[in-house]
Amino acid sequence: MSSKGEEKHLFTIVVLGASGDLAKKKTFPALFGLYKNKYLDPKTHIIGYARTKMDQATFEGHVSKFIKIKTDEDKAALQKFLKLCSYQDGQYDKDSDFQRLEKRLCEVEKNSGADERLFYMALPPSVFIPVATSVKKNNYRKDTTTRLIVEKPFGMDLESSRKLAKELGALFSENEIYRIDHYLGKEMVKNLMILRFANVIFGSVWNRHSIDNVQITFKEKIGTQGRGGYFDEFGIIRDVMQNHLLQILTLVAMEPPVSLDAEDVRDEKVKVLRFIPPITKEDILLGQYGKSEDGKEPGYLDDDTVPKGSKTPTYAAATLFINNERWAGVPFVLKCGKALNQQKTEIRIQFKDVAGNLFSGLSRNEIVIRVQPGEAVYVKMMNKEPGLGMRSIISDLDLSYSSRFSDSVIPEAYEALILDALNGDRSNFVRDDELEAAWKIFTPILKTIDAGEIDPVSYAYGSRGPKGEAEFVAKYGYSRGKQEYLWPQQSATVGKDQRPPPKDN
């Protein structure tokens, strides 16, 4: 996040879709976090806009519902924050309602002196263009800096993404559009650039000559929880893999950018995507969760909002190849799923076997970056077991944030990204050509899946995933450790709730 010493830009922030879940659970808590930590100018005004009618007291309750209050100072800060917030109801395609919004904007800007506007579209994709059109027609001034944050999904496939990009591009310039993928705001994802390009020990081994395979994994313990009808329109690939996991892949695989300028960074990410051919049927495994083994948790098809007989995957594993000089032949396995045995997102980089046979039964070296929860970076390595013999054991170099940075507070991803947008830093937002390159990789296989040509393998709610998952990753070279790997004991000073989950083999 930017330092507090930086000059603050005085924005008026408009949250479009302010009555919805996203605004309530993510946008307003992030704005409060920025305000509490003095990243927002105290004269900033925040206007919520949505179709729902509610008075100021109801709106303040809505804004506060998911804001975590831990101290009296937090409680006092929240009361001050709420005084900066107001609400206006209106339709998304009615000029007169947006003209009322413009009148309100002019009133608060006269009092605050703000000369820049940020519109956060916490909206379903079906109303992106009507709302953007209304904003441009009624709330856009040439003498005012205007920025538009747009939430995913950015289309359903290459064709719809191009249509959305064309319609949005006709209204706002690319420099004004901030397509948000909240994974790019996560601390460990933002750390990838420094980890890779600020440590000489990794530079010489970060290539096909040393690395055998890469896995990027997203696991979620919960199912669709009554929202299966909405999820069924997209599926796990559109929901997680095509955006979150692919963005992580680009940061793992990109070449060093010329500078940290947003366009230099995004240029290198686009180059990686253009080297990846479309995914084939042979390189994908799909699953759909059924009931838990004890019968307590319902299966995906038991959700009344899900169409009967749906083949929409709730689990997917796909292998991508980057056909450039650095990565030719190295499989990048992306895995994501709902209703699995644990909650985690991690990057696992597995190295090749040691040449020769001086020692037998060795496990491979790995660099594992735990994105969430329990942020950590650790290097799995072979070590001599203490004692008189020469037996080798698996050990690690362990950088667990909960113990190393115990006094630091890791910001929420939405806080980091909203601050980036306020500062005009686009490096952690998705560019239009980046989006096009990503959809070219996934659209052919998505059409095959949407046509029902691939049957998902059923797996029990709360299990590791569909049968064949272990064989799938083994097919691409992943080798589970030949020796038992034990999680090291954490320091007694680390609270139980801070300990990261167990590290898989």
Side-chain angles (χ1 to χ4, degrees), residues 254-258 263-272:
M254 65 187 277
E255 296 296 320
V258 173
E263 300 316 309
D264 287 337
V265 172
R266 298 196 292 185
D267 284 347
E268 294 304 329
K269 291 169 66 182
V270 172
K271 287 178 185 176
V272 170

Side-chain angles (χ1 to χ4, degrees), residues 411-454:
E412 292 293 329
Y414 279 91
E415 285 183 45
L417 292 173
I418 291 174
L419 184 61
D420 284 345
L422 292 171
N423 289 332
D425 181 359
R426 297 184 300 277
S427 56
N428 292 309
F429 294 86
V430 183
R431 203 167 64 187
D432 54 354
D433 56 342
E434 191 177 348
L435 193 59
E436 167 129 345
W439 278 120
K440 284 181 177 179
I441 297 166
F442 281 93
T443 294
I445 195 66
L446 284 169
K447 286 185 176 180
T448 301
I449 294 168
D450 291 345
E453 295 179 22
I454 304 177

Side-chain angles (χ1 to χ4, degrees), residues 19-258:
S19 63
D21 273 359
L22 176 63
K24 176 175 62 178
K25 293 178 180 178
K26 298 295 182 182
T27 312
F28 287 117
L31 289 169
F32 172 69
L34 292 175
Y35 173 77
K36 182 182 72 170
N37 292 303
K38 298 181 171 48
Y39 288 101
L40 281 187
D41 190 292
K43 292 185 289 185
T44 300
H45 195 85
I46 300 164
I47 301 174
Y49 183 96
R51 290 178 291 206
T52 305
K53 292 186 179 296
M54 60 176 126
D55 58 24
Q56 182 66 18
T58 305
F59 175 61
E60 289 181 5
H62 178 79
V63 168
S64 307
K65 190 170 183 180
F66 285 88
I67 291 176
K68 297 175 183 177
I69 301 299
K70 298 179 180 179
T71 65
D72 289 341
E73 288 80 6
D74 288 352
K75 190 174 182 180
L78 177 60
Q79 294 310 308
K80 291 179 181 178
F81 175 74
L82 291 174
K83 290 179 181 178
L84 306 178
C85 301
S86 62
Y87 180 75
Q88 181 178 315
D89 65 84
Q91 297 302 307
Y92 291 141
D93 56 356
K94 199 171 180 180
D95 284 343
S96 60
D97 288 343
F98 279 88
Q99 287 161 10
R100 286 194 300 116
L101 174 62
E102 177 63 20
K103 185 178 179 181
R104 179 66 180 146
L105 280 164
C106 291
E107 288 173 0
V108 300
E109 287 169 348
K110 185 177 180 180
N111 292 329
S112 69
D115 58 356
E116 299 179 281
R117 294 177 177 180
L118 176 69
F119 293 88
Y120 192 116
M121 295 177 66
L123 296 163
S126 58
V127 296
F128 280 176
I129 299 306
V131 171
T133 301
S134 296
V135 168
K136 181 62 183 284
K137 185 177 180 180
N138 301 289
N139 311 116
Y140 186 91
R141 297 193 312 209
K142 291 183 179 179
D143 60 342
T144 299
T145 297
T146 301
R147 292 175 186 150
L148 191 75
I149 295 180
V150 184
E151 280 278 353
K152 75 174 185 72
F154 312 117
M156 296 285 287
D157 52 24
L158 181 59
E159 183 181 355
S160 59
S161 176
R162 280 175 172 169
K163 182 174 183 293
L164 179 61
K166 183 179 180 181
E167 291 175 344
L168 204 54
L171 298 167
F172 295 90
S173 71
E174 182 64 21
N175 287 343
E176 293 173 322
I177 300 169
Y178 289 71
R179 298 174 191 85
I180 192 169
D181 182 327
H182 73 274
Y183 261 67
L184 290 175
K186 289 189 178 294
E187 183 69 20
M188 300 308 293
V189 176
K190 296 184 88 168
N191 187 37
L192 279 169
M193 290 273 287
I194 291 180
L195 192 70
R196 284 198 57 196
F197 303 126
N199 292 290
V200 70
I201 60 172
F202 295 135
S204 63
V205 297
W206 211 270
N207 53 53
R208 61 186 170 89
H209 302 297
S210 299
I211 293 174
D212 186 89
N213 62 84
V214 178
Q215 289 187 66
I216 304 172
T217 303
F218 169 96
K219 299 178 79 171
E220 199 168 47
K221 292 180 75 172
I222 60 172
T224 54
Q225 295 186 313
R227 298 180 69 248
Y230 174 80
F231 178 85
D232 203 76
E233 296 179 32
F234 300 96
I236 196 70
I237 294 176
R238 290 185 177 96
D239 192 38
V240 177
M241 186 181 289
Q242 183 271 341
N243 36 71
H244 302 331
L245 300 193
L246 192 65
Q247 285 294 322
I248 292 174
L249 179 150
T250 61
L251 292 169
V252 171
M254 65 187 277
E255 296 296 320
V258 173

